[in-house]
Amino acid sequence: MRTPRAPLFALAWLAALLSAPTPLAQRLADTFVAGNEAAYRGDWGDAAREYEKLVAAGVDDADVHFNLAVAHAHAGQLGRAVLGFERSLAL
């Protein structure tokens, strides 16, 4: 007995399509990596700018807010740091 190949092919194609990252998701991931790399270098101003791009794009993620808060703290912006830590805890 032969199994129908068309439904299997369609399911495989759909699974591949849904698992592929979208260009927007890839840009956001690249921005997060750029912020992490700047933080690793100790360039806290650049790190904050990268994380702020994510927040401006609508990313509401605890890790993003936490990393942004750390960058603000290292840059001496303690009020903004506290706000970022509070946002990260709320998520």
Side-chain angles (χ1 to χ4, degrees), residues 35-88:
N36 291 345
E37 289 173 348
Y40 183 76
R41 290 190 312 270
D43 187 350
W44 299 108
D46 192 36
R49 281 186 290 280
E50 294 298 324
Y51 298 132
E52 286 169 352
K53 288 178 190 176
L54 294 170
V55 172
V59 176
D60 199 22
D61 179 80
D63 291 334
V64 171
H65 287 288
F66 180 83
N67 289 2
L68 178 57
V70 170
H72 285 314
H74 280 281
Q77 300 172 339
L78 300 182
R80 294 179 82 184
V82 169
L83 179 62
F85 287 128
E86 288 177 352
R87 284 184 181 155
S88 71

Side-chain angles (χ1 to χ4, degrees), residues 2-41:
R2 291 182 60 193
T3 58
R5 294 179 193 253
L8 293 177
F9 175 76
L11 286 174
W13 181 81
L14 182 60
L17 179 66
L18 293 176
S19 66
T22 64
L24 174 60
Q26 188 61 53
R27 282 196 309 272
L28 294 174
D30 291 345
T31 302
F32 187 71
V33 168
N36 291 345
E37 289 173 348
Y40 183 76
R41 290 190 312 270

